[in-house]
Amino acid sequence: MKKTVELGAVKAEGGVIHSQADVVAATAPVKLTVGWTGDRTAKVVLSKRELELSSVKVDAGRQKGTDVTLDAKDADGVLIA
């Protein structure tokens, strides 16, 4: 690599979503860990092709991870949280 690119400034707040498994069985719930900076509530949505399958509102303190479980219903394939 010869070309360098300037990175933007670091944001003061942000969030992260981490799946607890790479592949989820068809009948199993989707388990995620979510975390963010700032004291606020967040809505975590599980969807497929922009169709909401399930959601949950979580209220976590500053920089703490929160485990959430979402129902994928009968969806298969690639799901987005």
Side-chain angles (χ1 to χ4, degrees), residues 1-66:
M1 296 175 63
K2 295 182 181 182
K3 184 177 179 182
T4 60
V5 177
E6 289 289 325
L7 298 177
V10 175
K11 303 285 184 180
E13 293 187 0
V16 63
I17 300 175
H18 173 76
S19 175
Q20 295 179 7
D22 291 333
V23 178
V24 178
T27 58
V30 176
K31 296 181 180 182
L32 306 169
T33 302
V34 296
W36 60 93
T37 56
D39 293 326
R40 65 182 64 147
T41 59
K43 180 179 180 182
V44 181
V45 177
L46 184 67
S47 62
K48 179 170 182 170
R49 296 187 178 166
E50 299 182 24
L51 175 66
E52 183 176 312
L53 302 172
S54 62
S55 66
V56 63
K57 287 188 179 181
V58 290
D59 182 9
R62 183 175 288 273
Q63 298 191 24
K64 292 182 181 176
T66 301

